[in-house]
């Protein structure tokens, strides 16, 4: 039976003479069809080739994208809440403003991807790669990034409160004004990161590597720092609720 891809408002976007959704989407992409706003909630797209897809604002809630290739795709403002995208490739994809709440992104590749203003609350991204990705103002409260690579990421003004960032690589990241309240960064590599204005109060920094970080105006009140390497920090820490230097 032919696959009929429709917009979330019901109008037709594309019809393909195949009974496999992944193949239908790939055909639409090859033909340059704009699939913005596509209704794909719960879709089985495991291993699908969605490179260069135009899926801005699409509804992929609960979709299965494990092992899919989504490189260079436009998923800005798309809904991927509760989706599973383990081992998927999102290299250089645009997910700006997208919602990935509670999504499973374990082992996925987001190198160079744009996730500015995205929602990652409660998401899992264990051992995922975000090198050079843009996650400015991201909302990732309670997310799990254990052993993920976020080297040279833009994380300014992101909210990672109560997130699990244990063993994560945050070397040379931009974390200006980020919220890491009660976050777990045990054993994390934060060397040379820009932490100016960041709130790390009550965070677990035990055994973390923070050498040469810029901490001007950052707050570490109540943080656990046992075994942490804090050599050659630059700047003055502040106290919680106070604009002065940390004591």
């Amino acid at each position: 039976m032919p696959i009929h891809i429709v917009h979330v408002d019901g109008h037709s976007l594309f019809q393909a003479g195949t009974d496999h959704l992944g193949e239908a989407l790939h055909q639409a992409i090859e033909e340059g069809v704009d699939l913005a706003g596509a209704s794909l909630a719960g879709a089985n797209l495991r291993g699908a080739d969605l490179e260069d897809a135009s899926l801005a604002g699409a509804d992929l809630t609960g979709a299965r994208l494990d092992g899919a290739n989504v490189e260079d795709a436009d998923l800005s403002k798309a809904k991927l809440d509760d989706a599973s995208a383990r081992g998927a490739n999102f290299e250089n994809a645009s997910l700006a403003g997208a919602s990935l709440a509670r999504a499973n992104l374990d082992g996925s590749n987001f190198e160079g991807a744009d996730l500015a203003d995205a929602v990652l609350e409660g998401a899992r991204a264990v051992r995922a790669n975000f090198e050079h990705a843009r996650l400015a103002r991201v909302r990732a409260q309670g997310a799990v990034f254990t052993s993920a690579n976020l080297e040279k990421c833009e994380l300014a003004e992101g909210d990672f409160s109560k997130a699990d960032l244990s063993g994560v690589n945050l070397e040379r990241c931009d974390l200006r004004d980020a919220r890491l309240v009660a976050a777990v960064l045990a054993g994390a590599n934060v060397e040379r990161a820009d932490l100016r204005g960041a709130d790390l109060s009550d965070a677990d920094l035990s055994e973390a590597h923070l050498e040469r970080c810029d901490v001007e105006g950052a707050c570490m009140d109540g943080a656990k720092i046992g075994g942490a390497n804090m050599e050659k920090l630059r700047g003055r820490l502040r106290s919680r609720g106070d604009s002065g230097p940390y004591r």
Side-chain angles (χ1 to χ4, degrees), residues 38-213:
S39 179
L40 298 165
N44 182 2
L45 296 169
R46 289 174 177 161
D49 185 2
L50 302 175
E51 185 174 355
D52 294 317
S54 177
L55 287 162
D59 184 2
L60 288 147
T61 304
R64 287 165 288 176
L65 291 151
D66 304 312
N69 179 26
V70 202
E71 184 175 355
D72 292 314
D74 182 2
L75 286 159
S76 54
K77 297 185 178 179
K79 296 179 182 178
L80 293 110
D81 299 335
D82 301 299
S84 180
R86 293 172 297 174
N89 179 28
F90 290 91
E91 185 172 353
N92 296 322
S94 174
L95 293 113
S99 183
L100 298 99
R102 302 172 302 280
N104 189 335
L105 310 170
D106 289 352
S108 289
N109 178 34
F110 287 88
E111 184 174 355
D114 185 357
L115 291 110
D117 300 296
V119 177
L120 288 160
E121 294 175 1
R124 284 179 53 91
V126 176
R127 298 187 181 281
N129 178 35
F130 290 88
E131 187 172 357
H132 287 290
R134 185 172 182 238
L135 292 100
R137 300 173 302 279
V138 71
R139 289 161 47 196
Q141 301 97 315
V144 179
F145 290 91
T146 310
S147 301
N149 179 28
L150 287 93
E151 184 176 357
K152 299 178 182 177
C153 277
E154 181 184 344
L155 305 166
E157 299 180 43
D159 191 347
F160 296 88
S161 300
K162 298 183 178 180
D164 186 351
L165 295 154
S166 53
V168 164
N169 182 17
L170 290 161
E171 185 173 353
R172 298 180 185 271
C173 279
D174 179 357
L175 282 155
R176 288 174 296 170
D177 298 314
R179 284 182 55 81
L180 292 143
V181 178
V184 179
L185 292 109
N189 177 25
V190 200
E191 184 180 0
R192 299 177 187 269
D194 189 344
L195 291 165
R196 287 177 291 172
D199 189 349
L200 295 111
S201 52
D202 301 316
D204 183 355
L205 299 169
S206 55
E207 305 294 333
H209 187 53
L210 294 120
E211 186 176 356
R212 300 179 187 273
C213 286

